[in-house]
Amino acid sequence: MQVSNGQNKYYAESEEVKPLRIKDAERSFLISVEGKKYIDFGSGWCVGNLGWKNPELEKAIKNFNGPTYISPNLEYEPWIELAGLLSKIVPGKLTKCFRATGGTEAVEIALQAAKSYTGREEFIALDGAFHGNSIAAEGLVSDSPYFNWKKLKPPLNEEKLNELEKMLKTKKVAALIMEPISMNLGVMVPEFSFMQGMQDLCRKYGTLIIMDEVATGFGRTGKLFATEYFDIDPDIMCIAKALSGGAAPIGATIMKEEVGESLKKDNYPYSTYGWHPLSVAASIANVRFFQKHWGELQENIQFMNEYFRQRLSQMEFKKPVKMSIVGMAMNLDFGKSDYGEKVTKRALKNGLIVFEGITMFPALDIDFETAKAGLDILEKSL
Ligand SMILES: Cc1ncc(COP(=O)(O)O)c(C=O)c1O
């Protein structure tokens, strides 16, 4: 296994030593430069929901014969087509779709829209959550010197509503932003009653609800969008990652008509590479794939969810574990112990990729043989 030492001269690596160099990808496998095949239970953190090199997506990209680039001040038919497709599949009454290059930008646009519509400056996010890599997105969740935004601490149950009401009562909060099921907080599921109460309180005090579906969107949790579990009506939704299945960078912020109109008038969020033609072609093919195959995908998710649940519950972990499994999103929490980290490293040596912790996001269409082989490796690595 070729291991870099984290000291590339020109390429700025993240701090940790990268465990392997990837040359190619195929369905639920990643292939290293040495030609070794790894089973991928990570899907690039909720990007490759249809596995890598899905044939229908590949065809759309290979056959793409459109313009190199379109300036945002012009019009492009596929932009209108993609916006129309998205507003039909997202829950609630979200109809105005803004172009973004990825999740962080989609979140930025959502925050700007909420500020513009409400005329307020404050935000509420979940303590320890993640919404992107900009100063604003970081500021939402960290003790940032730039912003004094409010953090709501999980667990999200009915008792938490009192605390939330105190925050909202000031009528200074533009929006509450959260993942409907938090992938970044260990596949954390809020209580249904919290979500209902949260919606009532936000309406009462004029605060908008932003659902960040950047990671949960496109089937990851077993619903097309995780918001659907809670029967709520968000004002703004952010999507990215699996929107193009990893084929090209893209993000989108979809909002209610009146919120979108306010943002358009106030400060239209210009984005040079937002909805690049190639990304749009890949995303249209991706959405159409979901429209055509969602039934089969759901069956596989249900089957695999039960299979993973059963296998994981029978495994003999060497430390106490708290499991959270929703659809094809799985988190094994070993508390403060570094056991998860050790298992992740051993699994990698044995040919399985999972996120440290352990967090797993297998492709929604993974086949039984690959799922079994991956779980066998995990078991062997305990
Ligand atoms: C919930 C959530 N929001 C936003 C982002 C940022 O997305 P991007 O990396 O595409 O900027 C992420 C990235 O992991 C995410 O998980």
Side-chain angles (χ1 to χ4, degrees):
M1 189 190 309
Q2 189 165 349
V3 176
S4 85
N5 60 7
Q7 297 189 346
N8 271 303
K9 187 165 178 196
Y10 302 110
Y11 170 64
E13 288 178 294
S14 55
E15 255 173 62
E16 83 268 23
V17 174
K18 292 286 177 235
L20 73 151
R21 257 178 213 181
I22 299 299
K23 186 179 68 179
D24 209 349
E26 184 75 46
R27 314 305 298 141
S28 282
F29 295 93
L30 291 177
I31 299 123
S32 75
V33 286
E34 297 87 2
K36 182 171 169 179
K37 248 175 137 179
Y38 292 79
I39 295 175
D40 182 14
F41 276 1
S43 303
W45 197 274
C46 310
V47 173
N49 284 7
L50 300 179
W52 307 117
K53 294 199 182 167
N54 172 286
E56 289 185 37
L57 261 63
E58 283 286 291
K59 204 165 95 193
I61 294 160
K62 295 228 164 87
N63 293 347
F64 176 69
N65 194 20
T68 309
Y69 176 75
I70 303 286
S71 171
N73 62 339
L74 301 173
E75 202 153 87
Y76 180 51
E77 196 66 33
W79 284 347
I80 298 163
E81 185 184 350
L82 179 59
L85 281 170
L86 292 176
S87 62
K88 280 200 192 77
I89 60 169
V90 293
K93 305 175 205 76
L94 306 171
T95 51
K96 268 280 173 286
C97 202
F98 288 78
R99 298 171 298 108
T101 49
T104 302
E105 201 182 0
V107 167
E108 290 285 331
I109 293 169
L111 301 177
Q112 287 172 31
K115 274 177 70 170
S116 139
Y117 183 71
T118 61
R120 301 175 181 180
E121 296 283 333
E122 289 184 8
F123 290 90
I124 298 175
L126 301 187
D127 196 25
F130 181 75
H131 293 288
N133 201 24
S134 65
I135 287 180
E138 289 265 301
L140 279 172
V141 296
S142 63
D143 289 321
S144 160
Y146 304 105
F147 310 99
N148 184 19
W149 292 344
K150 297 183 165 68
K151 289 158 211 85
L152 194 65
K153 235 185 175 59
L156 302 181
N157 49 27
E158 235 175 311
E159 289 86 79
K160 200 53 44 125
L161 293 172
N162 283 336
E163 193 182 322
L164 179 63
E165 182 155 23
K166 275 192 202 126
M167 293 176 176
L168 294 173
K169 246 183 181 156
T170 58
K171 296 199 176 172
K172 286 186 180 163
V173 182
L176 179 149
I177 180 168
M178 64 183 284
E179 290 186 272
I181 295 177
S182 180
M183 302 296 101
N184 290 292
L185 286 170
V187 190
M188 195 262 305
V189 187
E191 280 183 14
F192 189 85
S193 56
F194 169 84
M195 293 298 267
Q196 293 288 312
M198 176 276 286
Q199 172 162 278
D200 292 345
L201 290 172
C202 283
R203 298 280 180 267
K204 182 171 168 191
Y205 295 109
T207 293
L208 301 190
I209 300 169
I210 304 172
M211 282 295 135
D212 181 347
E213 293 252 16
V214 166
T216 47
F218 291 93
R220 177 50 57 195
T221 65
K223 300 270 187 197
L224 199 51
F225 295 95
T227 302
E228 294 166 34
Y229 278 107
F230 303 105
D231 192 22
I232 58 164
D233 181 22
D235 301 290
I236 306 175
M237 182 177 281
C238 308
I239 52 179
K241 289 189 187 269
L243 168 55
S244 72
I250 191 162
T253 316
I254 313 176
M255 51 195 87
K256 286 185 175 159
E257 179 74 22
E258 59 276 21
V259 183
E261 284 307 320
S262 157
L263 180 60
K264 266 173 70 181
K265 266 197 223 110
D266 202 15
N267 178 27
Y268 191 96
Y270 183 91
S271 174
T272 297
Y273 274 111
W275 288 25
H276 184 276
L278 188 59
S279 305
V280 172
S283 299
I284 289 174
N286 184 55
V287 175
R288 292 213 182 285
F289 186 95
F290 270 91
Q291 286 178 322
K292 207 160 114 198
H293 299 285
W294 181 229
E296 298 149 55
L297 284 170
Q298 265 180 311
E299 274 173 30
N300 201 53
I301 295 169
Q302 210 165 7
F303 176 82
M304 285 297 165
N305 174 284
E306 272 160 35
Y307 178 59
F308 273 81
R309 200 180 279 279
Q310 177 216 331
R311 286 288 309 268
L312 290 167
S313 65
Q314 284 166 359
M315 285 189 194
E316 294 184 0
F317 298 102
K318 306 284 185 287
K319 296 276 172 193
V321 62
K322 219 175 85 201
M323 284 188 210
S324 180
I325 306 175
V326 185
M328 291 296 269
M330 300 156 209
N331 187 66
L332 310 178
D333 182 0
F334 299 100
K336 289 198 175 23
S337 148
D338 63 353
Y339 180 63
E341 201 180 314
K342 286 185 178 148
V343 174
T344 304
K345 288 197 175 119
R346 280 200 289 272
L348 185 71
K349 275 206 182 104
N350 294 330
L352 171 72
I353 294 171
V354 298
F355 286 102
E356 227 165 66
I358 298 168
T359 306
M360 300 185 284
F361 301 118
L364 308 183
D365 63 350
I366 192 167
D367 59 67
F368 181 73
E369 195 189 334
T370 313
K372 179 178 181 311
L375 285 164
D376 288 348
I377 294 177
L378 184 66
E379 194 158 25
K380 188 174 121 186
S381 310
L382 299 182

